[in-house]
Amino acid sequence: MTLLALAIPTYNRSDILIPHLKEMCDTLNELEVDVYIYDDSSDSYTENSIKSGELAIKNLYYKRNIPGNGHDINLRTALKETNAEYIWLLGDSFKIDLTALRKIHEFIYNNSEFDLISVNTNNERVGIVEPKCFNTALEVYEKLGWHLTLTGTTIYKKKAINFDLNIIENYKNFPQISIIFETLHYNNSQLYWWGNSPVLIPNNSKKSYWMNSIFQTFIDDLRITLKNLPLKLSDKQIDFFIKDHAIRSGICSFKNFISLRGKNYFNQNVLKQYQNDFKKYSNTPILVLKIIAVIPSSLINFMIGFLKH
């Protein structure tokens, strides 16, 4: 069985995914890393690129879903159907630093005791500098959990995942979080943190699928996911995780509220619905949010455009 494979669920990002894979192609072939693409796209650009032989990857497996499976099922399918000892579940907007890929491949070859390995992004979004072994699910939850919501940060040992225990309906938008913490909890697994060296390089030129419902996803859906984890978390622990993610990811930052107002993803109706949550999970005062919510989107966009120039 192949030591390491990339499993990439994708949706309408051929203009990002294909160039990234071209850049990584030689290194993937050198290391004999297989690539599996699970295509949920509503267009045929990714399929056409692959069928035309645009990618010179030796071991490339492609699956087109018609009709699309949706984010959660496609992600879970990518983990379940990819055939390798270790599976790097990679978001379709990421490429991997090639030096880091070589080092991680060598590490996996020499260290098979870890069921999960987690890596950082190129903007060092996690401040844990040194490599570290996490021995309990709760320790991972408290120190690293917020980061693991990002698809691409985790490499999974295939045989450690028990898909029979995983009820995907309980974890809307966060199937990877359920699989990570079920693996840690039921197997008493260890997670190895790679350290602060940059590994994942994002391309954020296209908006994420959840952008239209950003607060429903990262407040409502995330709360339900955390409640359904086998860790039996208290409300205080759940609030800690949601706030940790909201602050560290920038989703509930002043700057992001301004940006979301310009796109009308944040307005008076959203503020009314989530006001109590914003009090808990954002450091921006409610009075400031009330002001932002009534500023015309056109004015926000004008100000943003003016400042850029």
Side-chain angles (χ1 to χ4, degrees):
M1 184 184 290
T2 301
L3 178 65
L4 176 65
L6 305 185
I8 308 173
T10 186
Y11 179 78
N12 289 359
R13 280 187 173 160
S14 62
D15 54 336
I16 298 174
L17 175 62
I18 301 301
H20 279 179
L21 289 174
K22 284 181 179 179
E23 288 182 47
M24 296 189 288
C25 179
D26 289 345
T27 305
L28 293 170
N29 288 339
E30 172 196 333
L31 299 174
E32 298 183 340
V33 174
D34 296 352
V35 176
Y36 290 74
I37 297 173
Y38 298 86
D39 188 4
D40 229 33
S41 299
S42 60
D43 61 49
S44 298
Y45 295 124
T46 300
E47 182 179 21
N48 292 341
S49 294
I50 290 169
K51 286 184 175 179
S52 69
E54 208 171 315
L55 295 175
I57 297 171
K58 289 179 184 176
N59 297 311
L60 176 63
Y61 304 88
Y62 174 78
K63 181 179 182 180
R64 178 77 187 272
N65 304 320
I66 301 176
N69 287 329
H71 170 269
D72 294 2
I73 293 176
N74 200 33
L75 189 151
R76 190 176 189 269
T77 299
L79 276 174
K80 192 171 185 179
E81 295 188 1
T82 298
N83 189 29
E85 291 183 42
Y86 281 86
I87 302 170
W88 195 329
L89 183 67
L90 190 65
D92 60 359
S93 64
F94 285 108
K95 62 182 177 181
I96 304 168
D97 178 87
L98 299 180
T99 300
L101 178 57
R102 287 189 177 92
K103 290 180 178 179
I104 290 169
H105 187 273
E106 182 181 7
F107 177 84
I108 292 172
Y109 181 81
N110 293 314
N111 299 271
S112 61
E113 67 268 31
F114 298 106
D115 289 345
L116 298 159
I117 300 167
S118 183
V119 302
N120 213 345
T121 58
N122 68 334
N123 61 0
E124 300 179 347
R125 92 182 205 141
V126 179
I128 305 173
V129 176
E130 297 298 325
K132 177 180 173 59
C133 179
F134 290 94
N135 294 306
T136 68
L138 192 57
E139 187 183 14
V140 173
Y141 180 91
E142 292 174 347
K143 301 295 185 181
L144 204 59
W146 74 275
H147 176 61
L148 304 180
T149 61
L150 185 63
T151 304
T153 61
T154 308
I155 303 166
Y156 305 73
K157 182 187 284 186
K158 177 69 177 283
K159 70 178 184 181
I161 303 173
N162 189 335
F163 291 101
D164 293 334
L165 290 173
N166 188 253
I167 304 172
I168 195 169
E169 292 79 11
N170 290 342
Y171 306 107
K172 182 183 177 184
N173 284 314
F174 298 100
Q176 77 278 23
I177 286 292
S178 68
I179 290 169
I180 290 167
F181 283 101
E182 286 173 355
T183 299
L184 289 166
H185 178 78
Y186 292 120
N187 298 350
N188 292 316
S189 297
Q190 294 177 316
L191 180 146
Y192 185 83
W193 167 245
W194 186 251
N196 211 28
S197 57
V199 176
L200 295 173
I201 304 168
N203 180 325
N204 296 320
S205 60
K206 283 192 172 182
K207 74 175 185 179
S208 298
Y209 78 95
W210 40 257
M211 184 57 73
N212 292 4
S213 54
I214 183 171
F215 298 117
Q216 178 183 328
T217 299
F218 290 104
I219 294 178
D220 298 336
D221 296 343
L222 185 54
R223 182 185 288 123
I224 292 170
T225 289
L226 299 176
K227 283 184 177 180
N228 286 326
L229 291 178
L231 278 61
K232 306 298 182 185
L233 300 162
S234 66
D235 289 343
K236 184 177 180 180
Q237 288 172 309
I238 290 171
D239 283 341
F240 163 81
F241 188 111
I242 297 173
K243 182 172 183 178
D244 203 33
H245 178 271
I247 298 299
R248 291 176 182 267
S249 69
I251 281 174
C252 283
S253 67
F254 172 82
K255 181 179 178 181
N256 199 47
F257 279 115
I258 292 290
S259 175
L260 293 172
R261 180 69 196 113
K263 301 176 179 70
N264 202 32
Y265 296 145
F266 176 68
N267 50 44
Q268 287 178 287
N269 291 333
V270 172
L271 178 59
K272 182 178 179 181
Q273 182 178 354
Y274 289 102
Q275 180 167 316
N276 291 333
D277 293 311
F278 293 151
K279 287 177 181 177
K280 289 192 291 184
Y281 306 138
S282 175
N283 291 331
T284 306
I286 290 297
L287 178 58
V288 174
L289 294 182
K290 288 181 177 179
I291 295 170
I292 294 172
V294 298
I295 300 175
S297 296
S298 56
L299 179 58
I300 293 283
N301 292 326
F302 173 80
M303 292 167 60
I304 292 173
F306 178 80
L307 291 173
K308 282 183 178 179
H309 293 87

